Amino acid sequence: MKVKVDELVCEANAVCMGLAPEVFEVDDDDQLHILLPEPPPEMQDRVRHAIRSCPKAALSFEE
């Protein structure tokens, strides 16, 4: 799994960060950073949930 963000769509609402803070971080400038672009298998269900929960649908993943 590889996590991606569409920076033109992302509004840095930080929903993803609240659900998977090991993978997503919103900085003081309201920029989303993917800290772990290829999360380990034990985190993937939580990361999928975070991606589906994005209010702007700015997140995606590749298997």
Side-chain angles (χ1 to χ4, degrees):
M1 162 186 254
K2 184 169 182 161
V3 180
K4 296 180 177 186
V5 61
D6 183 337
E7 294 179 10
L8 297 175
V9 177
C10 179
E11 289 184 346
N13 292 304
V15 172
C16 57
M17 187 172 84
L19 295 170
E22 307 88 349
V23 177
F24 304 101
E25 178 181 73
V26 176
D27 66 20
D28 293 336
D29 295 322
D30 287 335
Q31 291 289 314
L32 176 66
H33 301 279
I34 299 177
L35 304 174
L36 196 58
E38 296 184 29
E42 63 271 12
M43 295 177 69
Q44 291 182 5
D45 286 341
R46 196 158 38 105
V47 172
R48 282 187 184 93
H49 176 65
I51 289 169
R52 286 191 307 268
S53 298
C54 177
K56 299 304 287 183
L59 298 170
S60 63
F61 66 91
E62 289 181 356
E63 291 292 340

